Amino acid sequence: MQENNHPIGIFDSGYGGLTILKSIVDQLPQYDYIYLGDNARTPYGSRSFDVVYEYTRQAVMKLFSMGCQLVILACNTASAKALRSIQQNDLPGFDPSRRVLGVIRPSVEKIPLFTKTGHVGILGTMGTVISDSYPLEIAKISGNQITVTQEACPMWVPLVENEEISNPAADYFVQKNINNLFRKDADIDTVILGCTHYPLLLPTILKYLPSHVTLIDQGPIVANSLEDYLLRHPEIEQNCSKGSSIRFLTTESDEIFKSRAGMYFGRPISAEKISL
Ligand code: DGL
């Protein structure tokens, strides 16, 4: 990576955003990237609005200080609880030419392509569900044409973070939450995995999801949306350096990150420890 370069920043509370980074890098390998996982303070899903906003703001400022002109919050919880505040409160005073984008809007925009019944289910963290960001964003694009039902899955992130995805406990909680969702609305035909950790539970999720249901996995959708965004905003695109490098940062031990992150990213990676 060259000095004075402008990588695209990708932020998550922990490892989950690596599933998004993987799709982005597969689709847009030409850019430089910095991934930042706030592993020391994960999970964000059960934290208050103010805490998620403050932690996310610190991470974004760190990525800006490292040259990022564009930061993607590859975390639904941070997108739900911090994105709007950062865009409205922090960017104008700091540098209005920088951009921070989230993962909720791109995921929601695809919904009308998939649902036939007009009934959509959201699986997410408690924080994402309580924020009502998905129902609000879906209402913006569809009026009130789409019925949205949410199910908070507070055990799923800890199962993934603790590498317990093959434990029978994972089957228990995945089945329980999926059954709850369909008990609330049996007409759901489209489900969004509204947490970047959840693709790690995909085999278990597919075991319990009714087979006629379309599952929306955010990685490819966010990657497509970023490509489209960069095409529509050449002034931002020109500012993104193109050296095909990826740098990984963690707020926890770099050794722990190295031993776990490969599972999410699909290949071994090493990281540097930083503080926020
Ligand atoms: N990966 C985050 C998300 O997409 C959740 C993890 C957490 O609770 O910190 O919502």
Side-chain angles (χ1 to χ4, degrees), residues 7-18:
I8 297 173
I10 310 281
F11 169 69
D12 182 49
S13 60
Y15 299 109
L18 291 166

Side-chain angles (χ1 to χ4, degrees), residues 12-14 16-17 42-46 74-78 125 128 157 194-197:
D12 182 49
S13 60
T42 198
Y44 281 13
S46 48
C75 174
N76 287 267
T77 310
T125 65
T128 298
V157 170
C195 172
T196 55
H197 281 68

Side-chain angles (χ1 to χ4, degrees), residues 39-92:
N39 301 83
R41 302 190 292 198
T42 198
Y44 281 13
S46 48
R47 295 189 189 275
S48 68
F49 177 94
D50 287 348
V51 169
V52 173
Y53 169 44
E54 180 53 25
Y55 286 1
T56 306
R57 197 184 63 77
Q58 290 168 4
V60 167
M61 289 301 155
K62 184 73 174 187
L63 289 165
F64 282 168
S65 77
M66 301 177 98
C68 297
Q69 307 287 307
L70 169 64
V71 173
I72 314 285
L73 303 184
C75 174
N76 287 267
T77 310
S79 300
K81 291 188 158 184
L83 177 62
R84 183 181 298 245
S85 302
I86 289 173
Q87 287 173 333
Q88 291 179 352
N89 304 345
D90 299 295
L91 282 185

